[in-house]
């Protein structure tokens, strides 16, 4: 599997547009981002993706492995492994469920409505951080901002089910550097900030290999991605809630 650090050059027409102070459109920015990620054909050619990573939680000094399985159109499974304990969250795009021995859910249990809606939204292969937008989503350019000396183009994305996420695209590379969204947590609805970096090319598609999630400015997890494997065979039953014998 080929890994290569990614560098992007902004095409002349849009570079002139940005430098001249004219406001780009959300469509312009997303199109350039798709191009920077490897192009529409490469992104759409992924029928499935298996993703593996190590995750650290600074607050409780936990470290565990994570494996994500994605398959078109809306199959999604996440497995967290720490020692002999495995936590599973999965959906077939309609029914989201989980197994979490740490909270006493040793058997598959359907998710509550709020978390299920968020998880099902993430199930789309076209989630904004995956490079594309699911059908029915809309986007609008909000503003330019500067953070840590980097100019960012802010785009608000509204999904068909009403969920919202705001992406901050690097004005030079058109890769997402930050994403914010509101999420239901144990402390109520809070803003979750995801900082993404360390972009590399894997078999023609560019992925971020580092992600840091924050709530109220405090880091709650750091994800170091290890591998991205496209078009791995996956049985649909992997994503469906197991039925009792």
């Amino acid at each position: 599997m080929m890994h290569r650090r990614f560098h992007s050059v902004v095409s002349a027409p849009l570079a002139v547009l940005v430098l001249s102070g004219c406001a780009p459109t959300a469509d312009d920015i997303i199109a350039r981002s798709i191009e920077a990620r490897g192009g529409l054909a490469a992104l759409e050619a992924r029928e499935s993706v298996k993703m593996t990573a190590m995750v650290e939680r600074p607050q409780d000094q936990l470290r565990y492995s994570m494996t994500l399985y994605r398959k078109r159109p809306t199959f999604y499974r996440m497995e967290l492994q720490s020692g002999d304990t495995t936590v599973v969250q999965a959906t077939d795009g309609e029914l989201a469920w989980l197994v979490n021995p740490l909270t006493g859910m040793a058997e598959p249990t359907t998710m509550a409505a709020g978390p299920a809606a968020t998880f099902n939204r993430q199930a789309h292969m076209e989630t904004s951080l995956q490079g594309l937008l699911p059908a029915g989503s809309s986007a609008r350019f909000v503003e330019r901002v500067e953070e840590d000396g980097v100019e960012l183009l802010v785009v608000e994305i509204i999904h068909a089910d009403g969920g919202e996420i705001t992406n901050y695209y690097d004005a030079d590379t058109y890769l997402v550097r930050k994403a914010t969204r509101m999420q239901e947590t144990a402390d109520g609805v809070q803003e979750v900030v995801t900082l993404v970096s360390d972009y590399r090319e894997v078999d023609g598609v560019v992925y971020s290999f580092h992600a840091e999630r924050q709530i109220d400015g405090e880091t709650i997890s750091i994800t170091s991605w290890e591998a991205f494997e496209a078009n791995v065979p996956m049985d649909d039953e992997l994503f469906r809630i197991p039925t009792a014998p």
Side-chain angles (χ1 to χ4, degrees), residues 136-154:
S137 299
S138 62
R140 70 179 185 92
F141 173 71
V142 179
E143 61 180 341
R144 286 190 185 87
V145 298
E146 185 174 308
E147 294 185 4
D148 299 325
V150 177
E151 184 180 16
L152 303 174
L153 306 173
V154 184

Side-chain angles (χ1 to χ4, degrees), residues 4 16 25 41 54 60 71 79 146 154 164 216 218 229 234:
R4 189 175 73 208
V16 171
T25 67
M54 290 301 300
D60 44 24
K71 181 181 178 181
E79 296 180 0
E146 185 174 308
V154 184
E164 298 182 14
D216 290 337
E218 185 173 10
E229 303 172 72
M234 300 177 188

Side-chain angles (χ1 to χ4, degrees), residues 56-230:
E56 299 177 54
R57 289 170 48 113
Q59 289 178 311
D60 44 24
Q61 298 183 331
L62 279 178
R63 180 178 170 86
Y64 52 86
S65 63
M66 177 170 68
T67 304
L68 303 184
Y69 300 87
R70 291 183 174 277
K71 181 181 178 181
R72 291 187 185 277
T74 53
F75 293 109
Y76 184 38
R77 180 183 177 104
M78 176 170 62
E79 296 180 0
L80 309 178
Q81 182 77 38
S82 178
D84 296 330
T85 302
T86 302
V87 176
V88 178
Q89 298 182 58
T91 181
D92 56 7
E94 296 182 3
L95 180 62
W97 56 279
L98 76 162
V99 175
N100 189 353
L102 298 176
T103 59
M105 296 186 212
E107 299 298 326
T109 306
T110 56
M111 289 187 194
T118 299
F119 195 76
N120 281 337
R121 192 178 306 126
Q122 296 171 349
H124 288 270
M125 280 281 285
E126 289 84 3
T127 55
S128 56
L129 288 180
Q130 288 290 310
L132 302 172
L133 298 183
S137 299
S138 62
R140 70 179 185 92
F141 173 71
V142 179
E143 61 180 341
R144 286 190 185 87
V145 298
E146 185 174 308
E147 294 185 4
D148 299 325
V150 177
E151 184 180 16
L152 303 174
L153 306 173
V154 184
V155 175
E156 181 183 69
I157 296 168
I158 302 176
H159 294 282
D161 64 357
E164 298 182 14
I165 185 170
T166 301
N167 282 350
Y168 293 71
Y169 295 86
D170 188 307
D172 288 328
T173 65
Y174 290 89
L175 296 171
V176 176
R177 291 179 64 98
K178 182 173 80 171
T180 64
R181 61 185 172 86
M182 304 306 294
Q183 178 176 308
E184 184 178 330
T185 70
D187 298 317
V189 178
Q190 295 179 295
E191 182 183 58
V192 177
V193 176
T194 304
L195 306 175
V196 290
S197 59
D198 190 14
Y199 279 94
R200 310 180 206 173
E201 182 183 318
V202 181
D203 297 334
V205 173
V206 175
Y207 297 95
S208 165
F209 274 70
H210 185 87
E212 179 178 338
R213 295 177 71 235
Q214 300 176 344
I215 293 180
D216 290 337
E218 185 173 10
T219 299
I220 59 173
S221 69
I222 299 172
T223 303
S224 301
W225 294 101
E226 298 176 337
F228 296 84
E229 303 172 72

Side-chain angles (χ1 to χ4, degrees), residues 35-63:
E35 183 181 346
R37 290 288 310 280
L40 183 61
L43 291 173
E44 290 186 334
R46 301 172 305 166
E47 291 299 321
S48 66
V49 181
K50 180 182 178 182
M51 310 157 65
T52 55
M54 290 301 300
V55 182
E56 299 177 54
R57 289 170 48 113
Q59 289 178 311
D60 44 24
Q61 298 183 331
L62 279 178
R63 180 178 170 86

